[in-house]
Amino acid sequence: MHVLVIGSGGREHALCWALARSPKVARLSCAPGNGGIGRHADCVPIGVDDFDGIVAFCRREEVGLAVVGPEVPLVDGLADQLSEAGITVFGPSAKAAILEGSKAFMKDLCARHGIPTAAYRRFTEAGEAGAYIRAQGAPIVIKADGLAAGKGAVVCQTVDEAVATAEDILGGRFGEAGAEIVVEEFMVGEEASFFALCDGATALPLATAQDHKQVGDGDTGPNTGGMGAYSPAPVMTDEICRQTMERIILPTMRAMAEEGRPYAGVLYAGLMITEDGPRLIEYNVRFGDPECQVLMARWQSDLAEALLATAEGRLAEHTAAWTERCALTVVMATNGYPGDYAKGSEIGGLEAAEAVDGVTVLHAGTRAEDGRILANGGRVLGVTALGDSIAEAQARAYQAVDAIDWPEGFCRRDIGWRAVAREGAES
Ligand code: AMP
Ligand code: GLY
């Protein structure tokens, strides 16, 4: 089978890395790909927003499965356009991708179906939002309704900050994505990411992960797309996973089917593990980045078969196998990220990094030029290691990071700290 992965980030490199291991995959392409993906797939210069180009490629090159990586094309209907052209696609329809595309939709769905999440109200008018915020008090969370590249949620510690944030977002900080806001109760607990494959009727739980959203050590500084991740998430015990399936994932899948929006693809639940059990923070309609990197490091069964079974509605007959080992990814980013940064600096030492036992360097924002690898984005590399514990995976990942010669880049030095502390306390 010819498989096409759509996207150019670390998540798509991880997907290509795992798909290349599948005996079902005779040919693997990636549109547009990046400087590292070429090791596993043919990179084709078609942008993720060029829907006609993607459909034409799939038809011409007899793609048997198209795998859509990022959320924006899903929300904009790429899966629908591919299906209408008769191409088998992994990724939800636009009607189902609204779970990520509109936080207001997601919150209303949870309210209608009793799915545990933070209490909330929706607003389009700053004065009304301000009155509600003052009545609720702080801390409180203000979110743009639409897609804002992971930056649309602001946890506010004071009422004044919250009122100002509401005004700012409704005033256009995120453009149309902020024409409506959701004002939410602040939930207390530990965060974790839970992933399930869904084919509209059946949900297959995958592994768990935790990521580090903030740019600085000790979880400080502005939010980013994610500076590192590890799997499994120790807070996600078997009992919490069971509650997550029973109270959140399965009711959501049934609700979406009932409301004429059957969900097929990977459902990524951002959770707050509270004293009352798991509560939903948000849904994403794609794999997390960098959570996908650690999931694919641990995935042992045939990924192509799993994604195809999801796309074809055959998940009921499917299982997924994982290594018991732990995986950890350290993201290396260009100096300045998540603010302004320069492109084009050369990265050395990649072979030395991959010589470390259990390590793979997955590329995010890179491009290959004349045999050299150049930085081409904010988040640039995901140094991914397996180990018998999170602590061992962490030590290997940082040994590999230290072998990389890239003065223009940086990383956090504490990825996995929470899990490593737990392991230390248990031993
Ligand atoms: P989101 O974009 O909705 O995932 O939010 C980004 C981050 O903001 C989350 O990962 C949490 O750290 C935090 N956050 C969002 N909503 C809440 C909430 N209701 N209570 C506490 N923290 C939240
Ligand atoms: N790492 C968070 C995300 O992919 O949304």
Side-chain angles (χ1 to χ4, degrees):
M1 177 172 62
H2 181 191
V3 177
L4 172 70
V5 173
I6 295 145
S8 62
R11 166 183 45 219
E12 288 76 25
H13 191 178
L15 290 170
C16 287
W17 176 47
L19 285 165
R21 302 197 284 258
S22 164
K24 278 189 97 82
V25 180
R27 182 177 168 201
L28 186 59
S29 302
C30 186
N34 65 36
I37 290 177
R39 271 161 64 186
H40 311 290
D42 295 324
C43 294
V44 289
I46 306 173
V48 298
D49 54 357
D50 180 3
F51 291 9
D52 292 340
I54 291 167
V55 169
F57 177 85
C58 289
R59 283 205 163 127
R60 191 175 66 241
E61 303 297 329
E62 297 179 359
V63 167
L65 176 68
V67 178
V68 185
E71 64 276 16
V72 172
L74 290 167
V75 169
D76 289 345
L78 176 56
D80 307 75
Q81 203 167 317
L82 285 162
S83 306
E84 281 155 23
I87 293 142
T88 305
V89 55
F90 176 83
S93 67
K95 267 180 111 174
I98 191 174
L99 267 183
E100 179 168 357
S102 167
K103 290 189 190 286
F105 172 87
M106 181 282 267
K107 298 297 290 187
D108 288 353
L109 184 93
C110 289
R112 283 197 295 278
H113 296 271
I115 296 164
T117 182
Y120 73 106
R121 285 266 304 271
R122 303 167 53 168
F123 296 97
T124 52
E125 208 273 308
E128 288 172 18
Y132 178 75
I133 291 165
R134 285 183 208 290
Q136 295 298 307
I140 193 159
V141 187
I142 315 294
K143 296 183 179 181
D145 172 53
L147 292 182
K151 302 188 180 76
V154 187
V155 176
C156 299
Q157 295 302 334
T158 66
V159 163
D160 287 346
E161 184 192 351
V163 170
T165 303
E167 282 170 2
D168 196 29
I169 297 179
L170 287 170
R173 193 206 304 183
F174 300 112
E176 262 307 294
E180 178 166 354
I181 59 170
V182 172
V183 179
E184 256 182 45
E185 166 201 0
F186 176 77
M187 296 187 286
V188 178
E190 185 171 337
E191 273 182 62
S193 306
F194 186 91
F195 298 85
L197 293 179
C198 301
D199 68 3
T202 301
L204 176 68
L206 302 179
T208 61
Q210 279 174 303
D211 79 341
H212 292 265
K213 289 203 170 57
Q214 286 171 282
V215 74
D217 283 9
D219 296 325
T220 54
N223 268 349
T224 69
M227 293 302 289
Y230 49 95
S231 173
V235 70
M236 295 300 292
T237 59
D238 290 349
E239 175 57 17
I240 299 281
C241 287
R242 193 190 61 74
Q243 291 174 7
T244 303
M245 285 300 287
E246 292 297 318
R247 300 178 190 174
I248 298 178
I249 302 290
L250 292 170
T252 300
M253 224 186 37
R254 283 193 292 265
M256 292 294 280
E258 258 171 55
E259 299 196 3
R261 302 173 182 274
Y263 188 92
V266 61
L267 190 54
Y268 159 5
L271 301 174
M272 190 68 84
I273 312 308
T274 70
E275 284 182 344
D276 304 324
R279 296 174 76 197
L280 183 67
I281 299 174
E282 64 160 355
Y283 270 132
N284 296 307
V285 298
R286 34 91 193 163
F287 283 105
D289 189 342
E291 292 95 322
C292 189
Q293 288 80 317
V294 287
L295 291 189
M296 293 307 129
R298 296 186 59 223
W299 188 295
Q300 282 191 316
S301 38
D302 188 325
L303 179 66
E305 176 49 31
L307 302 186
L308 195 62
T310 305
E312 292 178 341
R314 294 186 286 104
L315 263 187
E317 54 193 72
H318 206 84
T319 54
W322 304 89
T323 171
E324 292 288 309
R325 302 182 81 202
C326 299
L328 183 138
T329 293
V330 176
V331 169
M332 298 188 75
T334 308
N335 291 336
Y337 175 79
D340 293 339
Y341 54 83
K343 289 185 179 177
S345 52
E346 184 170 351
I347 303 167
L350 290 167
E351 279 179 25
E354 292 208 305
V356 177
D357 198 21
V359 168
T360 305
V361 179
L362 296 167
H363 292 224
T366 68
R367 69 190 162 87
E369 194 179 285
D370 306 329
R372 300 182 309 154
I373 293 293
L374 306 179
N376 196 38
R379 293 189 297 166
V380 171
L381 300 172
V383 179
T384 302
L386 279 168
D388 291 332
S389 60
I390 300 279
E392 187 179 64
Q394 184 195 51
R396 287 176 170 171
Y398 281 113
Q399 192 187 335
V401 163
D402 291 336
I404 290 174
D405 179 17
W406 183 37
E408 294 83 0
F410 76 100
C411 66
R412 278 181 60 163
R413 298 297 312 190
D414 64 345
I415 299 302
W417 65 267
R418 201 177 259 116
V420 171
R422 253 184 222 246
E423 286 176 351
E426 280 163 15
S427 64

